[in-house]
């Protein structure tokens, strides 16, 4: 199975400050079709997860542009340009290239 | 508006069975791969299974292979997860998910809690 490793696992951030989360996969996520099926999700306490980013850098509908995704191959990053109170929760990376699709352990973002 | 409503969760003894259902609306159900994702209490996410539009292709994670079966009824816009030989480690919230890998289409249900305990 592809192992997804996130860092940090806990991220205290002051309001208005930027935040960055890294995710590394144990093998390349480039599919045979040339696409890289790598996503980011956000889960607020008590809520279902919501996908933010698909295929590395594409924002899902309704996701504010303060969220940006980047990377390639095995190393990926999610950046939040200015953290707001609504951004707290757990962020997960996920690969959908090779079955079983797998998630990272999650990064808990809280307001400092 | 897309709606995914799970049902069928509850408390079951180890070795027992449950059948989860997901009622879908607001989109053309037969046009999408559908999935089940679970989350143990206080833990991370695990993609359990997915099924192709016509049911001809299915994937299931090794931890439940041979015990869980994913299926769908396109005529009733419904997704199912038959769970047999349940174990304590299957205790989790189970989410019904409609998600495209390549397009901005991702929807998750509110989840249904399955508790396996004697």
């Amino acid at each position: 199975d592809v192992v997804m490793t996130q860092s940090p696992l806990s991220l205290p951030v002051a309001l208005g400050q930027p935040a960055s989360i890294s995710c590394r996969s144990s093998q390349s996520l480039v599919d045979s079709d040339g696409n890289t099926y790598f996503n980011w999700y956000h889960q607020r306490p008590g809520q279902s997860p919501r996908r933010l980013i698909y295929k590395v850098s594409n924002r899902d509908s309704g996701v504010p542009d303060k969220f940006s995704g980047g990377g390639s191959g095995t190393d990926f990053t999610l950046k939040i340009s200015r953290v707001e109170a609504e951004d707290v929760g757990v962020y997960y990376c996920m690969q959908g290239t090779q079955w079983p699709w797998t998630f990272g352990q999650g990064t808990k973002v809280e307001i400092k | 508006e897309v709606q995914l409503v799970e049902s069928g969760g509850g408390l079951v003894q180890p070795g027992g069975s449950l059948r989860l259902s997901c009622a879908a609306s607001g989109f053309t159900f037969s046009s999408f791969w559908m999935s089940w994702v679970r989350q143990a209490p206080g833990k991370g996410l695990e993609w359990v299974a997915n099924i192709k539009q016509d049911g001809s292709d299915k994937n299931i994670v090794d931890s439940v292979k041979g015990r869980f079966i994913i299926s769908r009824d396109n005529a009733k816009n419904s997704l199912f997860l038959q769970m047999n030989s349940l174990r304590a480690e299957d205790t989790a919230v189970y989410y019904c998910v409609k998600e495209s890998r390549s397009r901005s289409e991702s929807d998750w249900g509110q989840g249904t809690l399955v508790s396996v305990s004697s």
Side-chain angles (χ1 to χ4, degrees):
Chain A
D1 297 1
V2 178
V3 177
M4 306 296 285
T5 304
Q6 290 182 230
S7 62
L9 298 184
S10 178
L11 183 57
V13 185
L15 287 171
Q17 293 301 302
S20 180
I21 302 170
S22 296
C23 182
R24 176 167 289 179
S25 59
S26 59
Q27 54 191 271
S28 173
L29 299 184
V30 180
D31 194 14
S32 57
D33 64 8
N35 289 306
T36 300
Y37 296 109
F38 176 87
N39 306 331
W40 288 101
Y41 296 81
H42 176 216
Q43 186 176 33
R44 297 188 177 106
Q47 295 188 12
S48 303
R50 174 198 184 193
R51 195 176 70 179
L52 301 175
I53 302 285
Y54 66 99
K55 286 204 305 180
V56 182
S57 60
N58 297 274
R59 274 189 302 276
D60 271 287
S61 177
V63 174
D65 60 8
K66 65 179 176 179
F67 291 98
S68 62
S72 64
T74 61
D75 289 280
F76 305 91
T77 303
L78 175 70
K79 294 184 179 180
I80 310 172
S81 59
R82 293 174 305 279
V83 171
E84 300 176 70
E86 63 187 14
D87 300 328
V88 300
V90 181
Y91 290 79
Y92 295 94
C93 63
M94 173 261 181
Q95 67 84 19
T97 294
Q98 179 181 120
W99 187 263
W101 296 351
T102 47
F103 291 90
Q105 320 95 299
T107 294
K108 187 173 184 179
V109 171
E110 59 181 16
I111 303 301
K112 185 160 46 175
Chain B
E1 180 194 1
V2 172
Q3 288 201 344
L4 300 168
V5 180
E6 303 94 337
S7 60
L11 176 63
V12 61
Q13 292 188 338
S17 297
L18 278 177
R19 189 190 195 211
L20 304 184
S21 300
C22 171
S25 61
F27 65 102
T28 305
F29 181 73
S30 58
S31 296
F32 289 87
W33 279 80
M34 295 294 296
S35 298
W36 289 99
V37 176
R38 69 181 179 181
Q39 185 171 36
K43 303 296 184 182
L45 299 164
E46 181 179 35
W47 210 290
V48 175
N50 61 15
I51 184 168
K52 195 176 179 179
Q53 290 90 330
D54 62 359
S56 62
D57 193 9
K58 307 173 186 180
N59 295 293
I60 196 150
V61 71
D62 281 353
S63 58
V64 306
K65 194 171 288 184
R67 300 187 298 121
F68 289 13
I69 301 170
I70 187 171
S71 63
R72 64 192 294 162
D73 184 339
N74 287 343
K76 296 183 178 179
N77 292 339
S78 295
L79 176 71
F80 305 102
L81 187 67
Q82 177 65 44
M83 304 186 297
N84 302 321
S85 303
L86 283 160
R87 305 167 180 168
E89 55 265 35
D90 296 318
T91 294
V93 173
Y94 286 74
Y95 295 101
C96 173
V97 178
K98 160 193 168 283
E99 193 166 279
S100 167
R101 289 196 303 170
S102 297
R103 297 189 306 274
S104 178
E105 295 183 32
S106 175
D107 298 276
W108 292 55
Q110 84 289 347
T112 186
L113 177 62
V114 172
S115 296
V116 184
S117 175
S118 54

